Amino acid sequence: MSQTNSGKHSQASEAKKAISLPISRVRLIMKSSPDVSSINQDALFLTTKATELFVQHLALTSFNNRSQTEANTLNYSDLAKTAEESDTFHFLTDILPKKILAQDYLKSLEQMQDEDSDF
Amino acid sequence: MAVKMDGDSSTTDASQLGMTGEYMASSHYVLHPQDDDGEENMNDHEDGGTKENYREQDIYLPIANVARIMKNAVPQTGKIAKDAKECVQECVSEFISFITSEASERCHQEKRKTINGEDILFAMSTLGFDMYVDPLKLYLQKFREAMKGEKGMPGVAVGESLGEDLTDDGFANPLPAGIITADGQQQNVMVYTTTAYPQIPTVQQIQFS
């Protein structure tokens, strides 16, 4: 079965359009992992695509779980909440600490120091 | 309890990489404004609020791309706060590293040097992202088919003979080369340069595992 040139063209350009993230940057990030020597093209493509899926997944899950449902806005605390409550996104808890007010932090610091009484 | 606090952006790596600030989200810590000025020294990072401990380079995907994907994922009326965008940008790098380390480990265990597609898919499955695996396989298939049609790479098992015209040093300017094979089928092939697909800096052999 023969295919016209334009048919192949649009397939190829669709494949390109299918990726909305810069593959070279993804590659950079992958290479910054220790002990990574080389990455084949498939792996690179899959990771880039997976990253898109991840962003969609994280954004939507957090949006639906947001604490302030009236606001219609996704904010940082929604993401932190999702990371804590979800198994899938739990690996993010280290980089998504919950924000607290400085005065509360300082108070709890003082409390800890008092309790220590090693001073 | 971990805390995010105001600090300088650590972008020493930005100059090394020659990247502009817009691509580098700072490792920002946000202190909710109080009477205290940022006198608090950020040196005691023993709380897990920092990632400098275990990642030397903070490389991120461009925030515009990330934000666009987020915007399209949530309902149309939904909005996304700026700190949420920046945050997801960081999460993304974390995700990529997460998958890559796992894939790399498997690769090493099997005494291989190059991380391939299977390693990535396996890593996703192991790490709780197996819901991505099937859609990804589909995308990969489409991608391969599309690239096959464009490049007609020698060594790629196409199933039809493309003739001897295509050699490694035949990659000059893109030109359509219609080839009629022995059984009378016309196979249209584009002789292709890597620059035409700028996203992938080097052309690597597609490995069929």
Side-chain angles (χ1 to χ4, degrees):
Chain A
M1 196 165 84
S2 61
Q3 262 181 293
T4 60
N5 234 348
S6 54
K8 292 280 188 184
H9 264 301
S10 58
Q11 248 188 316
S13 53
E14 257 180 54
K16 286 182 215 174
K17 277 186 209 151
I19 310 171
S20 56
L21 294 168
I23 296 187
S24 51
R25 189 71 64 82
V26 173
R27 188 166 175 271
L28 255 179
I29 300 173
M30 292 178 83
K31 294 282 258 182
S32 75
S33 259
D35 297 330
V36 169
S37 41
S38 46
I39 307 161
N40 96 343
Q41 196 179 45
D42 281 358
L44 193 51
F45 175 79
L46 285 171
T47 305
T48 307
K49 207 59 201 150
T51 304
E52 280 183 36
L53 297 178
F54 173 78
V55 172
Q56 293 168 340
H57 190 187
L58 179 58
L60 188 57
T61 305
S62 305
F63 186 82
N64 291 335
N65 277 349
R66 68 195 185 283
S67 13
Q68 293 186 304
T69 41
E70 338 78 45
N72 224 25
T73 303
L74 173 68
N75 51 37
Y76 174 88
S77 54
D78 300 324
L79 292 163
K81 181 170 180 268
T82 299
E84 226 178 82
E85 294 171 5
S86 151
D87 283 339
T88 311
F89 296 115
H90 203 75
F91 74 99
L92 295 170
T93 45
D94 277 349
I95 64 167
L96 292 179
K98 291 198 161 160
K99 291 184 196 173
I100 60 171
L101 294 175
Q103 60 194 17
D104 293 344
Y105 174 66
L106 294 171
K107 241 186 258 171
S108 61
L109 249 192
E110 282 171 16
Q111 278 174 2
M112 288 192 324
Q113 286 172 355
D114 288 342
E115 283 163 19
D116 272 349
S117 61
D118 268 332
F119 286 55
Chain B
M1 194 198 286
V3 144
K4 275 203 156 195
M5 311 193 24
D6 244 313
D8 297 284
S9 32
S10 56
T11 51
T12 47
D13 39 294
S15 45
Q16 279 173 21
L17 296 170
M19 285 181 181
T20 61
E22 67 189 75
Y23 287 131
M24 304 287 294
S26 55
S27 344
H28 63 282
Y29 301 88
V30 179
L31 188 67
H32 281 283
Q34 295 297 315
D35 292 6
D36 315 320
D37 285 339
E39 284 296 1
E40 300 310 315
N41 230 317
M42 303 305 123
N43 289 334
D44 40 316
H45 283 310
E46 68 270 290
D47 282 310
T50 177
K51 48 189 180 302
E52 270 103 16
N53 293 341
Y54 57 89
R55 210 198 302 149
E56 298 125 293
Q57 299 168 54
D58 289 337
I59 315 173
Y60 304 119
L61 295 181
I63 196 165
N65 302 51
V66 173
R68 196 184 316 130
I69 300 175
M70 291 177 75
K71 193 88 180 66
N72 293 335
V74 301
Q76 238 183 348
T77 50
K79 299 198 200 89
I80 306 174
K82 183 167 184 247
D83 60 357
K85 292 180 195 173
E86 288 171 352
C87 166
V88 170
Q89 197 185 17
E90 294 170 23
C91 291
V92 157
S93 295
E94 193 68 17
F95 171 74
I96 295 174
S97 300
F98 194 40
I99 298 289
T100 304
S101 315
E102 186 68 29
S104 174
E105 219 181 273
R106 177 164 188 250
C107 203
H108 282 306
Q109 274 173 13
E110 302 193 353
K111 307 283 205 285
R112 283 181 285 111
K113 291 197 180 145
T114 306
I115 300 179
N116 63 28
E118 283 302 316
D119 295 325
I120 298 289
L121 291 174
F122 186 79
M124 285 197 213
S125 217
T126 308
L127 297 173
F129 294 98
D130 45 46
M131 66 293 256
Y132 297 174
V133 169
D134 286 337
L136 285 176
K137 284 184 178 168
L138 214 60
Y139 276 117
L140 182 62
Q141 203 176 15
K142 286 189 189 165
F143 176 74
R144 280 180 177 177
E145 280 168 24
M147 295 310 282
K148 238 191 272 177
E150 276 227 343
K151 281 198 253 177
M153 270 170 71
V156 169
V158 178
E160 305 125 289
S161 80
L162 295 175
E164 309 319 309
D165 303 318
L166 301 168
T167 60
D168 280 326
D169 35 45
F171 291 153
N173 303 313
L175 13 110
I179 300 171
I180 299 180
T181 60
D183 50 8
Q185 280 188 331
Q186 180 160 25
Q187 178 70 35
N188 284 296
V189 167
M190 288 287 285
V191 177
Y192 206 80
T193 63
T194 55
T195 54
Y197 193 97
Q199 300 283 25
I200 298 182
T202 59
V203 177
Q204 300 188 29
Q205 288 283 336
I206 296 177
Q207 293 183 20
F208 293 88
S209 44

